[in-house]
């Protein structure tokens, strides 16, 4: 894929159009096209057999010098500072290069963030005011797909039980951890571990892939083989750089270079690495108070508190909100951290069908009229817990309707914005920003810093009285360690880059601050940031932050619409950066993963199966980022188109009843992304 010549923009000025160069992912030898899945499996099994026999290190075919890392070549991202800048190669892809500090060129390497100067590939993430949120209609595959999926699991289960029966008698040493021994009960249950041992192990190559470096636009995989059918893995000593479509790096702030990284480096010099976390349990510092104030301003709430772990934010603070005599009404697809927190609270729990507002209202009528079990006394409080963006489905909460129900039935609303904050809305302020709703109409906003902000930890935001109570009653206050200065600085720098610092939005910018209520303020004041924290002009002005938001919106809609037009069954809202593509059959999960990784441009994907999803709805989950270029999305669509034909995955009904060719989709990207 040749690198396109960028046109002048605020991010790239006076760069000469580079001559066509080899792609960073190009291989030395091209492979013949795959005729069928059977031929691919046959070739793959032969390669695996040779690997198990010889145990010789094998590697993914070499990429170009800038992207392939073998035992004889080092990571160019780590060693770029040792080389001079080559003006004939603006992207710095063919040869290791360090861009100069001048603002006339890009300030980050292309492997971390794919630069795009074409304003056509931009879109504002915003729901049309007054229009209802369209309901997501799940498409069912043909019956033979469902039947073959059930049969596949049945065969795996039967063969697994036969192997267990024979293995316990013929090779008992491999089952010692599953049977009573020396008067002790087994620590692992034979029945409970059956799925892990007999089903998941067969496709373990799809999970827990070892990587190194920054999870940016590309990622470096540590190559490995398995001589014993995934029971153990052996590193080959080689590495492969692949296009990364699997990380929650929504805005591309997971970068080893740039303004945010420079700010983090400065914080380490000033504070050290663990000043706030290693010695002070529940401690605080000036960075903590500054970060909490900026978070509250960013999400449009009175106050906020932060914690060092996103999962613990839900599981530790929900018990401080509700208790015995209270009722939690939870969406059936809420995250495990929410489920864990509600169990710890001791409150009664009821669930409603995913995003089904009629079912929610019916449940509210029932629980309010019946009251508490046995006594039928009124509930002390009712808390409805939903997510802004559901990570497995890619669906958005129907926030306008929930707020109407809130006014009618007088319950408290808790919105988990782990995936939506920073990824949705014209200002990146989450689902309230996306729908143009005052965030203070929501009682509790929760979010994490691990996705859009490239940091770690989580936050709770609400009115000051609520946050003060949580500081005292929440378990994380007295027991958990505080966030470290580098992490806090990354949060401050990335959040300020989205907001802008004390500079009004340019009149020419396509996103106007009048689109949403004033509860979502514009730039952060300089006093809201540490005096030593300075950002480059493009970040401080908010220009690059707004550009990233609009690039993410375009990439998300383009990939979603493109997959639908190709004929795939997908889930989720078009504005969601999470795009699930349904695979169904368990055998196709490994095949899809291998075939994506074995292409001329290797692509690393996330495959999701039971129990994270229902048994028959296994899927691959694409995670789009602002770091991806339009050409990167083209590459993913081309790969899906070819592999979808081989694996028989195109069972969806295209919008309008007409499927498009891949060439037409690529040529009509603006039309697809802009369609409602």
């Amino acid at each position: 894929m040749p690198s396109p010549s960028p046109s002048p923009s605020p991010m790239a000025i006076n760069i000469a159009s580079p001559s066509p160069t080899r792609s960073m992912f190009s291989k030395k030898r091209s492979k013949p096209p795959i005729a069928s899945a059977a031929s691919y499996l046959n070739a793959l099994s032969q390669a695996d057999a040779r690997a198990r026999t010889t145990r010789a290190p094998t590697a993914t075919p070499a990429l170009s010098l800038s992207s392939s890392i073998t035992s004889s070549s080092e990571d160019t991202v780590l060693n770029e500072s040792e080389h001079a800048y080559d003006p004939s190669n603006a992207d710095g892809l063919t040869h290791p290069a360090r861009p100069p500090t001048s603002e006339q060129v890009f300030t980050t390497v292309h492997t971390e963030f794919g630069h795009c100067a074409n304003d056509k590939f931009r879109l504002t993430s915003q729901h049309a005011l007054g229009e209802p949120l369209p309901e997501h209609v799940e498409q069912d595959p043909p019956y033979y797909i469902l039947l073959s999926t059930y049969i596949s699991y049945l065969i795996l289960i039967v063969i697994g039980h036969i192997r267990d029966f024979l293995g316990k008698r013929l090779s008992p040493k491999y089952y010692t951890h599953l049977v009573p021994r020396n008067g002790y009960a087994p620590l692992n249950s034979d029945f409970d571990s059956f799925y892990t041992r007999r089903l998941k192990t067969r496709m373990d190559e799809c999970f827990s892939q070892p990587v190194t470096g920054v999870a940016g636009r590309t990622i470096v995989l540590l190559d490995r083989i398995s001589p014993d059918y995934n029971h153990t893995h052996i590193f080959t000593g080689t590495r492969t750089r692949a296009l990364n479509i699997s990380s929650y790096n929504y805005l591309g702030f997971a970068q080893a270079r740039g303004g945010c990284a420079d700010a983090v480096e400065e914080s380490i010099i000033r504070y050290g690495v663990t000043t706030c976390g290693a010695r002070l349990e529940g401690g605080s510092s000036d960075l903590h108070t500054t970060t909490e104030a900026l978070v509250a301003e960013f999400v449009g709430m009175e106050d906020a508190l932060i914690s060092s772990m996103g999962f613990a934010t839900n599981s530790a603070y929900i018990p401080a909100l509700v208790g015995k005599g209270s009722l939690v009404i939870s969406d059936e697809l809420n995250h495990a951290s929410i489920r864990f927190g509600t169990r710890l609270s001791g409150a009664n729990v009821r669930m409603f069908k995913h995003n089904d507002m009629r079912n929610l209202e019916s449940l509210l009528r029932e629980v309010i009229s019946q009251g508490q079990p046995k006594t039928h006394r009124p509930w002390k409080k009712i808390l409805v817990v939903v997510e802004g963006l559901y990570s497995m489905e890619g669906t958005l909460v129907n926030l306008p309707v929930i707020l109407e129900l809130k006014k009618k039935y007088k319950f408290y609303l808790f919105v988990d914005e782990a995936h939506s904050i920073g990824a949705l809305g014209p200002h990146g302020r989450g689902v309230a920003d996306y729908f143009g709703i005052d965030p203070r109409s929501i009682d509790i906003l929760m979010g994490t810093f691990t996705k859009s902000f490239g940091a770690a930890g989580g936050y709770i935001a609400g009115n000051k009285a609520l946050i003060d109570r949580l500081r005292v009653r929440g378990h994380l206050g007295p027991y958990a360690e505080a966030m470290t200065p580098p992490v806090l600085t990354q949060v401050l720098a990335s959040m300020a880059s989205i907001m802008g610092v004390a500079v009004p939005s340019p009149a020419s910018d396509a996103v106007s601050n009048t689109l949403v209520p004033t509860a979502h303020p514009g730039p952060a004041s300089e006093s809201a940031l540490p005096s030593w924290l300075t950002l480059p002009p493009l970040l401080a002005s908010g220009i690059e932050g707004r550009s990233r938001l609009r690039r993410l919106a375009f990439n998300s809609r383009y990939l979603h619409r493109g997959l639908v037009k190709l004929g795939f069954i997908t889930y989720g809202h078009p504005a969601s950066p999470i795009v699930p593509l349904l695979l169904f059959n368990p055998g196709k999960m490994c095949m899809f993963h291998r075939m994506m990784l074995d292409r001329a441009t290797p692509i690393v994907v996330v495959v999701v199966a039971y129990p994270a999803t229902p048994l028959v709805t296994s899927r691959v989950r694409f995670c789009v980022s602002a770091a991806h270029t339009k050409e990167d999305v083209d590459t993913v669509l081309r790969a899906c188109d070819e592999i979808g034909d081989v694996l028989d995955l195109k069972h969806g009904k295209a919008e309008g009843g007409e499927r498009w060719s891949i060439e037409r989709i690529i040529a009509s990207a603006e039309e697809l992304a802009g369609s409602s």
Side-chain angles (χ1 to χ4, degrees):
M1 179 183 70
S3 300
S5 301
S7 57
S9 75
M11 297 182 64
I13 305 173
N14 296 332
I15 300 182
S17 299
S19 58
T21 58
R22 227 170 27 153
S23 167
M24 65 183 297
F25 296 109
S26 61
K27 293 189 177 182
K28 293 181 179 178
R29 292 187 298 241
S30 60
K31 285 192 171 185
I34 301 172
S36 65
S39 61
Y40 183 86
L41 274 177
N42 184 39
L44 197 61
S45 62
Q46 293 177 10
D48 286 345
R50 289 194 298 270
R52 286 193 295 271
T53 303
T54 63
R55 295 200 178 187
T58 60
T60 301
L63 310 177
S64 64
L65 176 62
S66 66
S67 58
S68 178
I69 303 169
T70 65
S71 57
S72 60
S73 63
E74 297 179 339
D75 191 346
T76 60
V77 175
L78 299 178
N79 293 280
E80 281 183 325
S81 59
E82 301 175 6
H83 300 269
Y85 176 67
D86 181 6
S88 66
N89 181 22
D91 282 336
L93 299 181
T94 305
H95 302 286
R98 179 186 64 181
T101 57
S102 170
E103 291 183 22
Q104 293 183 344
V105 298
F106 295 125
T107 57
T108 54
V109 291
H110 208 79
T111 53
E112 295 179 4
F113 191 92
H115 300 287
C116 173
N118 193 337
D119 288 335
K120 294 180 180 179
F121 305 140
R122 306 284 193 275
L123 200 65
T124 300
S125 174
Q126 185 180 22
H127 182 75
L129 296 177
E131 291 190 7
L133 182 68
E135 294 185 5
H136 174 67
V137 179
E138 295 184 0
Q139 297 186 39
D140 294 324
Y143 285 117
Y144 79 89
I145 294 293
L146 292 176
L147 183 61
S148 63
T149 300
Y150 281 116
I151 292 176
S152 298
Y153 279 110
L154 180 62
I155 292 174
L156 287 173
I157 292 172
V158 171
I159 293 178
H161 281 297
I162 292 175
R163 292 186 64 185
D164 280 354
F165 178 82
L166 297 177
K168 290 176 182 177
R169 288 154 179 80
L170 301 179
S171 302
K173 63 179 181 179
Y174 295 110
Y175 293 86
T176 55
H177 63 296
L178 297 176
V179 297
R181 185 179 55 171
N182 299 329
Y184 288 94
L187 288 176
N188 297 320
S189 168
D190 187 358
F191 179 81
D192 292 343
S193 64
F194 178 81
Y195 175 83
T196 302
R197 291 183 292 105
R198 294 304 180 199
L199 281 81
K200 179 179 177 295
T201 303
R202 291 175 176 267
M203 47 186 167
D204 255 353
E205 65 183 84
C206 300
F207 311 114
S208 304
Q209 299 175 79
V211 300
T212 184
V214 174
R217 169 181 173 251
T218 67
I219 197 168
V220 178
L221 304 177
L222 303 180
D223 298 328
R224 60 183 183 177
I225 59 173
S226 177
D228 51 8
Y229 303 100
N230 293 329
H231 288 283
T232 60
H233 290 89
I234 299 174
F235 290 106
T236 63
T238 59
R239 305 179 184 184
T240 300
R241 184 175 292 281
L243 180 64
N244 181 20
I245 193 76
S246 62
S247 297
Y248 292 144
N249 183 27
Y250 296 139
L251 292 182
F253 280 116
Q255 296 175 221
R257 305 183 179 196
C260 294
D262 293 340
V264 171
E265 183 179 357
E266 177 65 22
S267 73
I268 294 175
I269 296 174
R270 288 176 173 269
Y271 294 91
V273 179
T274 60
T275 301
C276 302
R279 296 293 181 183
L280 299 177
E281 289 191 356
S284 182
S285 70
D286 58 333
L287 275 181
H288 282 82
T289 55
T290 301
T291 305
E292 289 180 340
L294 188 65
V295 169
E297 184 179 355
F298 183 82
V299 300
M301 288 293 196
E302 288 184 15
D303 200 1
L305 61 84
I306 58 177
S307 62
S308 56
M309 183 180 179
F311 187 98
T313 305
N314 277 333
S315 58
Y317 282 120
I318 288 179
L321 292 169
V322 292
K324 187 176 181 180
S326 300
L327 174 67
V328 174
I329 299 179
S330 177
D331 189 291
E332 65 178 350
L333 296 184
N334 274 346
H335 192 261
S337 61
I338 297 174
R339 295 169 176 259
F340 188 61
T342 53
R343 291 194 191 103
L344 290 178
S345 70
N348 288 79
V349 183
R350 297 290 298 272
M351 290 195 297
F352 64 96
K353 294 180 181 178
H354 174 57
N355 236 3
D356 190 330
M357 298 299 103
R358 297 185 186 89
N359 183 250
L360 173 59
E361 183 170 16
S362 175
L363 180 59
L364 285 167
R365 287 176 178 270
E366 176 190 342
V367 297
I368 292 175
S369 63
Q370 295 298 320
Q372 299 185 39
K374 297 181 181 180
T375 65
H376 298 290
R377 293 177 179 175
W379 298 102
K380 293 180 179 179
K381 68 182 76 169
I382 298 177
L383 180 68
V384 174
V385 184
V386 294
E387 293 187 42
L389 173 61
Y390 291 85
S391 59
M392 287 296 168
E393 308 295 316
T395 49
L396 299 183
V397 63
N398 198 338
L399 188 60
V401 175
I402 288 184
L403 289 177
E404 290 298 322
L405 294 176
K406 181 177 183 293
K407 295 176 182 177
K408 185 176 181 180
Y409 294 101
K410 310 300 180 185
F411 56 80
Y412 293 102
L413 179 59
F414 183 111
V415 179
D416 180 335
E417 292 211 88
H419 290 268
S420 55
I421 192 67
L424 294 177
H427 301 82
R429 303 319 209 273
V431 289
D433 188 18
Y434 179 79
F435 288 108
I437 291 172
D438 187 347
R440 298 196 181 187
S441 59
I442 303 170
D443 299 291
I444 305 141
L445 284 175
M446 176 270 172
T448 62
F449 305 121
T450 55
K451 281 81 177 178
S452 298
F453 305 103
Y459 69 85
I460 292 279
N463 62 60
K464 193 175 187 312
L466 172 68
I467 298 303
D468 287 343
R469 173 183 171 84
L470 292 181
R471 293 186 198 278
V472 177
R473 297 291 300 273
H475 296 158
L476 293 185
Y479 298 117
E481 291 184 344
M483 294 172 67
T484 59
V487 175
L488 291 169
T489 305
Q490 174 68 20
V491 173
L492 287 170
S494 59
M495 197 169 284
S497 300
I498 300 172
M499 300 174 70
V501 183
V503 178
S505 300
S508 60
D509 188 67
V511 181
S512 171
N513 283 332
T514 61
L515 293 176
V516 295
T518 55
H520 286 122
S525 62
E526 290 185 357
S527 60
L529 299 174
S531 58
W532 51 265
L533 197 157
T534 57
L535 296 172
L538 286 177
L539 291 177
S541 64
I543 293 176
E544 185 171 335
R546 288 189 294 271
S547 175
R548 294 189 183 208
L549 288 168
R550 302 185 68 211
R551 284 185 60 180
L552 174 63
F554 174 86
N555 290 343
S556 301
R557 294 185 70 92
Y558 175 38
L559 179 59
H560 184 277
R561 298 289 188 186
L563 291 174
V564 171
K565 279 297 185 182
L566 284 174
F568 292 98
I569 297 179
T570 63
Y571 283 173
H573 191 278
S576 165
I578 300 170
V579 186
L581 186 153
L582 275 293
L583 302 178
F584 299 105
N585 196 294
K588 294 179 180 180
M589 289 187 282
C590 287
M591 284 295 300
F592 192 95
H593 172 267
R594 289 188 182 190
M595 294 174 76
M596 290 290 276
L597 199 57
D598 200 42
R599 295 182 61 80
T601 300
I603 304 173
V604 58
V605 299
V606 169
V607 174
V608 187
Y610 179 85
T613 67
L615 189 67
V616 295
T617 59
S618 301
R619 66 199 67 175
V620 56
R621 189 177 55 164
F622 298 117
C623 298
V624 187
S625 170
H628 294 131
T629 63
K630 189 261 184 185
E631 289 73 20
D632 292 337
V633 182
D634 293 344
T635 301
V636 175
L637 287 173
R638 287 185 185 275
C640 291
D641 181 48
E642 297 176 12
I643 296 174
D645 289 333
V646 174
L647 297 184
D648 189 23
L649 297 176
K650 298 180 179 180
H651 303 294
K653 297 179 180 178
E655 296 177 0
E658 179 188 4
R659 293 186 183 180
W660 288 7
S661 67
I662 183 62
E663 299 301 332
R664 181 181 176 185
I665 289 173
I666 293 175
S668 307
E670 300 169 49
E671 175 189 348
L672 278 178
S675 61
S676 59

